[in-house]
Amino acid sequence: MKNVKSDTRDKLVALVIDLIKAKALKKVVLSKPDASDEIKSILSPKLISKEQVLQLETFSKDNKAYHRNIKDGYDKELDILFSNYSQINVVSALGDIQFMRSKGGKESLIGDKKVKDKLNTEEFDLVDSSENNVKKKYILSGDEDFLKVLGVSDSSGRIRDKMQAKFRQINKFVEHIEAIRDKLPKKDINIYDLCCGKSYLSFAVYHYFKNIQKMNVNMICVDLKADVIEYCSNLAKRIGFDNMEFVCGDIIAYDMKLKPHLVISLHACDVATDIVLNKASDNGAEVILSTPCCHHELNHTLNCQALSFVSKHSMLRQKMCDALTDALRLLKLESNGYKVDAMELIDPEDTPKNIMLRAIKRKNVSPERLNDLKEEYEQTKRFLLGELK
Ligand SMILES: C[S@@+](CC[C@H](N)C(=O)[O-])C[C@H]1O[C@@H](n2cnc3c(N)ncnc32)[C@H](O)[C@@H]1O
């Protein structure tokens, strides 16, 4: 069939992509092909060399099977693929969906609403594409009052369409916190969210420690924007999030009045991430979790002959500078006595600003090792800025 636009197929493509993102897709079986030499195709998510792909296996009438891995551009690829079959069965951890097209071209979907509702509201088992099924639960469901008041979910707890990405982002961030839970105090905790903006994340983190972990929480959130700070401050009072304070100001001038156990920051603009990391480590935070935003400083100052074969390509230059900036940030934290990691926050399709820098204060580290790391950091900076003799 010609690839004419179809709302029903658009719906199916969007749902399948959402299922992939939620790691809930098991397989898609495509039958009744338009092509006379084919029998059917099966599409399944796979992890190949640590890369998430959709594998398409097509069975032909001459008993052969052909494979193709789809790595990106899922919406276009799926739309074209789906237009070539009259029956499509989607098998997912949240239920099955059936798509049918009659000879006269009438299209119908069965089971889609149920799956969509589950995607939006329920906790579910994630399907790990490496084939080991891993039981995994979202920490936030959408039904929490603060999410409703913030407009992330509606009164029934359904995540609003426009807020899906933000919801996944804060849920993932909280999962990163849960993963290092044992590095933090058990009873009383002081948390800072620097460059908090509208504070979706701050509210989620407060909720996690206060309502799920049942701890005493002091949380301080700082941002430059007076209107946003006033809004969040009123909202915290309204929903009874005690000891959650919002401060309007520049984080560079902000003095931490409580010893920080956990410092978080999500997409602090450009060098604001460096200010966050310095402030957190200078004040001895136990754990720092920061997802940087775009940064440009190194792109302007890079002067390194050895890397010119990369930096002469402007597209690659920015990507390399992003990676170098984050690696330098981690090296600096390491030289301040932290165990450091760079991790992926969430599906890169949601946002390209997706690197989570994680720093956990080491208990024992020799002063000699720290001196070596400081020297390495200074040398690396000089190397990148063309100052090495
Ligand atoms: C991209 S927004 C991210 C907001 C929030 N963390 C989120 O992820 O939704 C960046 C925020 O950083 C704040 N910001 C940037 N530089 C700052 C500084 N020096 N001091 C305080 N806030 C700053 C901005 O006002 C803005 O609200």
Side-chain angles (χ1 to χ4, degrees):
M1 165 171 160
K2 248 192 7 244
N3 186 8
V4 284
K5 199 169 157 29
S6 138
D7 287 344
T8 314
R9 206 172 58 236
D10 282 352
K11 247 192 224 169
L12 184 66
V13 168
L15 257 177
V16 169
I17 291 175
D18 280 347
L19 286 167
I20 296 168
K21 286 184 186 163
K23 293 193 167 53
L25 180 70
K26 290 183 179 168
K27 63 178 175 181
V28 182
V29 181
L30 305 118
S31 37
K32 300 194 181 162
D34 290 350
S36 55
D37 54 343
E38 267 181 41
I39 302 173
K40 66 171 179 180
S41 288
I42 297 180
L43 199 57
S44 37
K46 296 263 185 256
L47 205 59
I48 295 180
S49 308
K50 295 193 177 163
E51 196 182 9
Q52 178 76 58
V53 301
L54 269 185
Q55 191 169 79
L56 178 67
E57 197 177 14
T58 302
F59 300 87
S60 67
K61 285 188 177 156
D62 58 6
N63 286 331
K64 288 189 179 146
Y66 301 91
H67 292 91
R68 181 162 76 88
N69 292 334
I70 304 172
K71 295 184 178 167
D72 42 34
Y74 287 166
D75 46 358
K76 278 201 188 120
E77 289 269 2
L78 294 182
D79 185 52
I80 294 170
L81 186 66
F82 290 1
S83 69
N84 291 328
Y85 294 83
S86 296
Q87 183 172 332
I88 301 171
N89 290 78
V90 178
V91 183
S92 88
L94 308 183
D96 298 350
I97 306 166
Q98 194 179 30
F99 168 91
M100 305 274 270
R101 188 172 46 241
S102 70
K103 285 203 173 106
K106 193 168 177 299
E107 295 177 335
S108 58
L109 270 184
I110 303 171
D112 56 319
K113 289 192 187 64
K114 209 165 142 199
V115 169
K116 194 166 182 179
D117 283 349
K118 281 196 178 174
L119 257 174
N120 289 336
T121 57
E122 289 193 15
E123 295 175 337
F124 49 85
D125 294 349
L126 298 184
V127 180
D128 189 84
S129 46
S130 58
E131 264 150 37
N132 300 318
N133 286 5
V134 179
K135 284 258 182 193
K136 187 81 189 154
K137 282 187 171 175
Y138 269 2
I139 293 170
L140 305 172
S141 69
D143 211 24
E144 295 80 0
D145 282 345
F146 76 93
L147 288 177
K148 293 179 186 170
V149 179
L150 275 168
V152 174
S153 52
D154 65 20
S155 56
S156 68
R158 194 191 74 87
I159 307 302
R160 293 177 194 279
D161 292 345
K162 280 193 184 149
M163 300 306 288
Q164 295 279 352
K166 181 51 91 181
F167 176 69
R168 286 193 290 273
Q169 198 181 50
I170 59 177
N171 236 325
K172 268 283 168 200
F173 206 114
V174 177
E175 279 178 29
H176 277 279
I177 291 177
E178 184 155 70
I180 50 81
R181 181 66 202 85
D182 62 331
K183 310 291 177 206
L184 293 166
K186 303 274 171 286
K187 202 164 160 249
D188 303 298
I189 187 164
N190 301 331
I191 308 170
Y192 287 86
D193 184 351
L194 302 180
C195 300
C196 58
K198 210 172 165 192
S199 300
Y200 298 103
L201 177 65
S202 335
F203 285 107
V205 171
Y206 180 99
H207 167 81
Y208 170 74
F209 284 104
K210 181 79 179 181
N211 300 330
I212 301 179
Q213 298 295 332
K214 310 285 181 208
M215 292 173 61
N216 298 321
V217 184
N218 286 302
M219 182 145 193
I220 301 179
C221 310
V222 186
D223 200 282
L224 281 172
K225 292 182 188 152
D227 54 341
V228 172
I229 287 296
E230 192 188 345
Y231 168 82
C232 294
S233 189
N234 290 336
L235 198 145
K237 284 188 199 118
R238 206 166 110 209
I239 58 177
F241 278 19
D242 300 333
N243 297 329
M244 191 177 191
E245 188 185 334
F246 289 86
V247 178
C248 179
D250 192 326
I251 53 167
I252 201 159
Y254 179 72
D255 277 332
M256 289 182 162
K257 57 181 184 179
L258 303 171
K259 180 190 157 35
H261 297 117
L262 173 63
V263 175
I264 56 172
S265 187
L266 180 57
H267 297 154
C269 324
D270 203 4
V271 293
T273 291
D274 300 288
I275 303 170
V276 169
L277 301 178
N278 290 342
K279 183 126 305 204
S281 67
D282 289 350
N283 283 277
E286 301 295 331
V287 177
I288 307 166
L289 293 174
S290 165
T291 294
C293 204
C294 41
H295 29 74
H296 307 293
E297 190 169 318
L298 188 59
N299 199 344
H300 297 316
T301 51
L302 182 74
N303 176 19
C304 180
Q305 190 53 37
L307 296 174
S308 62
F309 72 102
V310 183
S311 58
K312 69 182 178 187
H313 305 288
S314 59
M315 273 292 291
L316 299 179
R317 183 185 170 99
Q318 181 59 55
K319 283 188 191 300
M320 177 177 72
C321 288
D322 288 350
L324 288 169
T325 302
D326 285 337
L328 270 175
R329 288 167 167 163
L330 289 176
L331 186 52
K332 188 163 189 209
L333 287 165
E334 208 180 357
S335 75
N336 283 337
Y338 286 86
K339 179 182 180 311
V340 295
D341 292 287
M343 311 164 92
E344 195 160 73
L345 171 63
I346 199 164
D347 192 329
E349 282 181 29
D350 273 344
T351 169
K353 298 176 241 164
N354 196 32
I355 298 292
M356 158 78 82
L357 305 179
R358 183 174 81 179
I360 301 171
K361 191 121 190 90
R362 288 186 188 277
K363 295 270 176 280
N364 297 308
V365 52
S366 73
E368 294 77 22
R369 172 81 185 126
L370 292 183
N371 279 340
D372 287 349
L373 287 164
K374 282 189 174 45
E375 182 55 25
E376 188 185 339
Y377 172 73
E378 292 303 331
Q379 288 269 5
T380 310
K381 256 188 10 183
R382 287 204 289 275
F383 167 71
L384 295 173
L385 302 181
E387 292 167 3
L388 271 192
K389 301 252 158 56

